[in-house]
Amino acid sequence: MKKIFSVTIVVLFLVFSFSVNSEFLELEINNYILSNQNMSVQIELKGDNAGFVNNISNNEYLYPLINNHKFVISGVQLINEISTISENSISFVSKGTDFEIYTEYLLKDKTLHIKTKIKNKTDSNKRIQINEILNYSETFPYFFKTKISDNYAFFLQQEYGSLGYYLSENPSFERLIANDKMSTSISIINVHPFETIEFKRIITVEKSVADLEKAYFEKFKIDYEKIKVKVELSNGKSSQGTRVVLQDKIKTIKSVQFVNKDGEALFYLPGAKDEDFDVKVDFGNLQTEPVSILNEKVLRAHVSENYFYFMPFLTNKTEEGITINFRTFIPSKVNIKVYLKENPDSFSEFKSSIPLEYNNIRISGLKPGKTYLYVVTVEDTYTENILQTVEKEFQTKPVDEDIQSFDFVSYGDTQIYDERHAYVVERIVKDKINPAFVIKPGDHTEEGTSEKSWSKFFEAAYPLSSEIPYYLALGNHERNNTIYYKAFNLPKGGGDYSKRWYSFDYGNSHFVILDSNVLEDSPLYKEQLNWLEKDLRNSQEKKFIFVIFHHPFWTTATEYGNMKENLSEGHYNTKNWLPIFKEYGVDVVINGHIHAYERYFKDDIMFITTGGGGAKLNTSHEAPPLDWQVKQEIGKLHYVHFEVYEDYIKVAVKAVAKVENPLFPEKYEEINQIIDEFYIFEKVYEK
C-alpha cells in the first residue's frame, strides 16, 4: 500500500448551469452564500481567504462574473473571523497587535455593499496603503473599462451579465489598473492614534455595461444623453438579446448593450456629447458593419442557417452529473432533456434563459452509477431552423467505494487528418469497451487558433465523445488558445482559467493532467510544480496514480533531428518532474507528441507514449534505445486500453491500421492487432 496521509480537500467549482438559486443558503463546509433573485455572492469562511468574496454571479442570467474579490492592507496580516451573520449580510473582524479591521458585506437588490473599518489601536500615527483585487481570470470577459466620465471605476461585460465596481460615496478611485486581475490602489492613508477610518464601495450587477453606466450617472448626478439604436434581422425574427457595441472611429469599444423586447439597444453618453461614434451588432456570427450614430440608427443583420459548429462533447463526469459542451454557429437558447434509461417516462429539462454560442452545460442532480439518455435541442432563437441531436447516453460516476474495477482509453495526436481520427474513434466504439472516460494527451487539432480546425475535431470525436467523457491535456498545437478553454469544461485546477492543469479521482486511482508546454523560466512553471507536489502529496491514499502530459521524457524518434529526449537526462521537465513522480509513487505516465507507440519502465514507473490517434505517423526512430525502453512500434494507428482492478492494471495496446507509405497518409490498411500487452502491479511500501 502507498503511505496514507489523512488529508481532506474540498473543491467548489462554479460552471454555467441552469439550477434555481434559493433566497438564502448556508454551506456547512467552507463558504457562505448571500443570494437573492438578482445576484449570488459566495464568501469563504476558512483558510487564507477567509472573509473574502470567492465568487459573484448574476442570477438573472445564471452567469459567473468574477472569481473572487479581496483587499490587502500593507503591513497587516488579516486573519478574518465571523463577527455577525444574517440572511442578507455577514461581517468579519480581524484583530491584530496594531489594528482591528471590521468588514461587512450587505446584499441589497442588485448591489453588494462592502464597508471596511480600520481602527488604529496604538498611540502612534500609522501610514497604510489599501489595495483591492477583483479577479476574473477564470472567465471570458467580452469587454471591460476602467474610466467613465473621467472618473476611475471598473465595468466588466461577460457574454451575458455585467459587473460594476466603484466607491459608494465618491465617483472616482485615485488609481485603477486592469488586466485579468483588476486592482485598485488607494493612496497611502494616515491613521491617527486610536482613530477609525472607514471606506465603502459597491459591486453591482446588470445585464450590460450600458445599464451600469446609466445607474452610475444617476447615482452621481452626471448628465447624460440617451442614444437609441434599432436592430432588425434579415428573416424578420425578433432581435431581442443580440449584442450591440458602441465604438469610436478607431474601433475601440466604449460600451456594450443588448437589444430589448422592442428591438432597441439603448446607450447613455455623459454630457452633451457631440463626438461621433459607431454602433454595430457583434454577437457570435451575427454581425453587421458599423454605422454612425449621427446618421443611420438602424442595424440590419443577416441571419444564416444554424448548425452545431462544435458537436456535443462530454467532460467532467461526477457522481451527480456531467457537462455537455458544444458550440452553435448562431447564438441560441438550448433545451436538454435527460432521462433515466431504466425509467424513460420520467425526465428532467435543463433550459437556458439566454442565447449563447459556447455552451458548457452542467447536468446535475443525477444518481451515481446510473445510465441516462439525453437529447440536445437548439431552439430557433434567431434562425428559422431547430437543431436536435439523436438520443445519446452517458453514465454517471459510481461512488468510489463501489467501483471494483473500471476501464479507460487513451489515444493522442489527432491533428490534421480528421478522417483518420474519426476512424480510430469508430474502432474504439466498435470494440465495445465502454470505458469510463477517455484520456487524450494533447495535439487534438492541427491549429489551436482555428475555429474550423476545432470544428472538424469535434465532428470526428462525436461518436465517442457524445457518450463517453474526455479528459484532455494541452499539446503544443493547441497554442494555449482561448478556444480550448471555452470549448471544454474541465475540473478546476491551476494556471490559465484554473484548468491549464488539474486532477480528478476515479475509484482507487488518481489522475493528474499537466501542461508540459510551460517554459522552465516562466513564473507559471514554479506555480505548476508546487501545485503538482501538493496534489500528489494529498493523494497518497489512492492505490494508483496516473500522470498525463504531452511531451514524453524519452524517445528514439529523430523525425526532426536529434532531440534532448533521445538522451537519458531528457528535457527540463524530466529533471524537475521525475524526482517528484518517484517521491510520491506515480505508477503510470501517459504522453503523446511522438507519433508512434513507445513504452519505457524506469524507477518503478511505466511511461507510455501513444501518438497514433490520426496524425502523420513517424518513420524515423534512429536514436539508440535507452536501457529502460521496453517496446516501440511505428507506422500504426492505435489506442491504449487500461483495465484498472483492485491491485493491478492490465494494459493492451491495439493497432487498428497500418500506414505503409508516409507520402500517402490517407491510405492505410485496416488491421486488428495487439501490439503490446502488460500488467502494472500495485507498489508496496514499507511504513
Side-chain angles (χ1 to χ4, degrees):
M1 292 287 292
K2 287 190 170 76
K3 294 181 180 179
I4 297 177
F5 299 91
S6 179
V7 179
T8 300
I9 302 176
V10 177
V11 179
L12 293 175
F13 184 56
L14 176 68
V15 298
F16 181 69
S17 64
F18 305 117
S19 58
V20 177
N21 289 276
S22 62
E23 286 294 316
F24 171 69
L25 173 65
E26 182 177 355
L27 296 183
E28 297 178 357
I29 304 175
N30 207 31
N31 296 276
Y32 192 85
I33 293 180
L34 300 172
S35 183
N36 58 28
Q37 64 180 1
N38 299 304
M39 64 189 295
S40 289
V41 181
Q42 185 171 286
I43 300 170
E44 291 201 28
L45 301 180
K46 300 177 183 179
D48 295 339
N49 289 318
F52 296 118
V53 172
N54 189 17
N55 196 290
I56 293 179
S57 60
N58 186 322
N59 286 349
E60 185 176 358
Y61 309 109
L62 297 169
Y63 203 90
L65 298 174
I66 63 169
N67 313 8
N68 55 67
H69 162 269
K70 68 183 298 184
F71 60 89
V72 179
I73 301 175
S74 58
V76 179
Q77 183 179 5
L78 292 171
I79 303 176
N80 292 314
E81 297 180 352
I82 295 174
S83 174
T84 60
I85 193 167
S86 72
E87 183 172 340
N88 64 346
S89 70
I90 186 170
S91 61
F92 296 85
V93 64
S94 177
K95 297 179 180 180
T97 304
D98 296 338
F99 294 97
E100 182 173 301
I101 292 95
Y102 170 88
T103 300
E104 178 189 62
Y105 300 97
L106 172 64
L107 181 62
K108 293 178 64 177
D109 299 324
K110 296 182 177 182
T111 300
L112 177 68
H113 299 263
I114 307 173
K115 178 172 65 178
T116 301
K117 294 180 180 180
I118 303 172
K119 180 181 179 180
N120 181 358
K121 297 165 58 178
T122 72
D123 58 2
S124 60
N125 192 60
K126 297 290 185 180
R127 290 168 63 83
I128 62 171
Q129 181 172 330
I130 305 169
N131 294 307
E132 288 200 77
I133 300 170
L134 276 175
N135 186 342
Y136 48 96
S137 61
E138 294 178 21
T139 68
F140 303 95
Y142 176 78
F143 164 72
F144 64 79
K145 62 188 300 184
T146 57
K147 291 192 76 174
I148 177 172
S149 191
D150 297 325
N151 296 326
Y152 285 110
F154 180 72
F155 292 152
L156 174 72
Q157 181 72 59
Q158 296 288 0
E159 287 292 324
Y160 253 88
S162 61
L163 177 142
Y165 165 74
Y166 44 88
L167 293 171
S168 300
E169 299 170 353
N170 189 316
S172 183
F173 289 107
E174 291 193 9
R175 186 176 67 172
L176 193 150
I177 303 169
N179 39 51
D180 62 346
K181 294 181 180 179
M182 187 282 291
S183 66
T184 66
S185 179
I186 299 175
S187 60
I188 294 174
I189 298 171
N190 284 314
V191 188
H192 300 297
F194 307 110
E195 180 187 20
T196 298
I197 63 169
E198 178 179 291
F199 67 102
K200 302 176 182 178
R201 53 273 193 232
I202 64 174
I203 296 177
T204 185
V205 302
E206 273 290 356
K207 185 174 185 177
S208 68
V209 163
D211 292 334
L212 289 171
E213 290 172 324
K214 178 177 181 289
Y216 181 92
F217 295 147
E218 292 175 350
K219 176 177 177 61
F220 294 110
K221 297 179 172 57
I222 298 172
D223 292 335
Y224 64 86
E225 177 185 358
K226 183 165 70 173
I227 303 296
K228 185 186 300 182
V229 180
K230 189 80 172 177
V231 177
E232 298 176 351
L233 302 184
S234 59
N235 56 15
K237 293 181 72 71
S238 170
S239 62
Q240 183 178 0
T242 56
R243 184 173 55 226
V244 180
V245 300
L246 178 82
Q247 62 185 34
D248 61 21
K249 292 301 181 180
I250 58 173
K251 298 184 179 180
T252 302
I253 297 176
K254 296 297 183 180
S255 189
V256 178
Q257 182 58 286
F258 291 91
V259 175
N260 61 25
K261 60 182 175 58
D262 298 321
E264 297 172 340
L266 305 178
F267 292 94
Y268 310 93
L269 302 181
K273 288 283 187 181
D274 56 2
E275 183 180 354
D276 188 12
F277 291 98
D278 288 337
V279 286
K280 68 173 184 177
V281 174
D282 184 15
F283 195 37
N285 286 297
L286 282 178
Q287 300 276 337
T288 65
E289 292 297 319
V291 299
S292 169
I293 60 171
L294 297 181
N295 300 317
E296 181 65 48
K297 292 186 180 178
V298 177
L299 297 171
R300 296 176 177 86
H302 173 73
V303 185
S304 60
E305 186 171 288
N306 206 4
Y307 59 91
F308 283 108
Y309 201 12
F310 296 175
M311 294 297 293
F313 189 100
L314 301 182
T315 59
N316 207 18
K317 173 178 179 174
T318 65
E319 294 169 5
E320 56 87 37
I322 205 161
T323 302
I324 303 175
N325 312 265
F326 58 91
R327 182 183 178 189
T328 56
F329 188 70
I330 303 295
S332 306
K333 294 181 181 179
V334 176
N335 179 304
I336 299 180
K337 285 188 177 181
V338 179
Y339 312 76
L340 190 61
K341 189 174 183 178
E342 62 192 36
N343 184 17
D345 292 333
S346 177
F347 63 88
S348 299
E349 283 190 307
F350 296 80
K351 293 184 177 182
S352 62
S353 60
I354 53 177
L356 290 173
E357 247 188 316
Y358 284 94
N359 288 269
N360 308 110
I361 300 175
R362 183 67 190 163
I363 306 299
S364 58
L366 307 183
K367 297 178 180 180
K370 295 292 185 179
T371 300
Y372 288 86
L373 307 175
Y374 75 96
V375 175
V376 178
T377 302
V378 177
E379 300 176 5
D380 55 343
T381 311
Y382 302 118
T383 61
E384 295 182 319
N385 65 309
I386 296 175
L387 305 178
Q388 189 171 81
T389 64
V390 297
E391 189 175 71
K392 292 286 186 173
E393 69 177 49
F394 64 83
Q395 293 178 331
T396 52
K397 175 188 172 186
V399 177
D400 278 336
E401 291 75 14
D402 294 340
I403 301 174
Q404 302 302 313
S405 65
F406 67 94
D407 296 30
F408 73 93
V409 162
S410 183
Y411 68 96
D413 292 76
T414 43
Q415 289 181 219
I416 195 169
Y417 297 115
D418 300 289
E419 71 285 351
R420 288 177 23 167
H421 176 201
Y423 171 70
V424 172
V425 165
E426 177 189 339
R427 290 295 300 270
I428 295 172
V429 172
K430 283 184 175 180
D431 286 344
K432 297 183 179 180
I433 296 170
N434 192 30
F437 50 85
V438 175
I439 293 285
K440 202 162 181 306
D443 278 6
H444 315 297
T445 186
E446 177 70 11
E447 182 50 68
T449 61
S450 166
E451 295 174 337
K452 290 183 179 179
S453 182
W454 277 110
S455 181
K456 292 177 180 178
F457 163 82
F458 285 103
E459 183 178 355
Y462 181 67
L464 187 61
S465 63
S466 58
E467 298 197 331
I468 306 297
Y470 275 56
Y471 292 91
L472 305 100
L474 280 160
N476 50 291
H477 277 265
E478 278 69 67
R479 305 185 190 278
N480 199 41
N481 192 267
T482 54
I483 296 175
Y484 171 85
Y485 295 106
K486 286 183 176 182
F488 304 111
N489 169 242
L490 298 166
K492 189 171 183 178
D496 296 349
Y497 305 99
S498 292
K499 53 185 177 181
R500 190 166 181 173
W501 52 83
Y502 59 93
S503 65
F504 66 96
D505 291 331
Y506 203 94
N508 62 358
S509 300
H510 183 66
F511 294 82
V512 182
I513 284 78
L514 301 175
D515 182 10
S516 59
N517 297 280
V518 182
L519 298 177
E520 190 177 17
D521 58 359
S522 164
L524 276 177
Y525 193 86
K526 183 66 174 177
E527 182 182 332
Q528 181 174 218
L529 196 68
N530 291 339
W531 178 92
L532 168 65
E533 185 164 14
K534 181 179 179 180
D535 182 82
L536 290 176
R537 184 170 62 247
N538 291 338
S539 303
Q540 292 299 289
E541 76 282 0
K542 292 296 183 181
K543 286 190 177 181
F544 297 111
I545 296 178
F546 297 80
V547 180
I548 298 95
F549 52 92
H550 187 57
H551 301 85
F553 287 170
W554 306 288
T555 182
T556 60
T558 51
E559 201 78 10
Y560 304 104
N562 294 327
M563 304 167 62
K564 290 183 179 180
E565 293 90 332
N566 298 147
L567 306 175
S568 60
E569 58 268 27
H571 51 59
Y572 58 84
N573 283 334
T574 318
K575 174 186 67 177
N576 295 315
W577 292 358
L578 184 56
I580 296 176
F581 294 174
K582 291 164 59 178
E583 179 179 357
Y584 292 103
V586 169
D587 298 279
V588 184
V589 172
I590 302 172
N591 305 119
H593 191 60
I594 302 303
H595 299 174
Y597 171 73
E598 292 186 293
R599 176 160 67 96
Y600 294 81
F601 185 70
K602 182 176 175 60
D603 299 318
D604 281 337
I605 304 172
M606 195 69 75
F607 297 86
I608 300 168
T609 297
T610 170
K616 182 180 179 181
L617 297 174
N618 289 164
T619 57
S620 178
H621 277 238
E622 306 299 331
L626 298 169
D627 292 342
W628 48 94
Q629 187 188 68
V630 181
K631 179 82 173 179
Q632 76 169 10
E633 190 87 29
I634 63 174
K636 293 177 181 177
L637 301 178
H638 67 272
Y639 67 87
V640 186
H641 177 204
F642 295 83
E643 298 174 65
V644 182
Y645 296 95
E646 182 181 358
D647 52 9
Y648 70 93
I649 306 166
K650 181 182 178 182
V651 186
V653 184
K654 185 170 185 179
V656 297
K658 184 175 183 180
V659 180
E660 295 287 356
N661 190 336
L663 296 177
F664 300 96
E666 71 281 358
K667 296 182 179 180
Y668 51 85
E669 174 191 348
E670 296 184 11
I671 60 176
N672 188 18
Q673 178 186 4
I674 301 297
I675 57 176
D676 198 9
E677 192 169 23
F678 55 94
Y679 292 83
I680 301 168
F681 293 95
E682 178 189 0
K683 297 174 184 176
V684 179
Y685 294 95
E686 292 184 4
K687 292 188 178 180

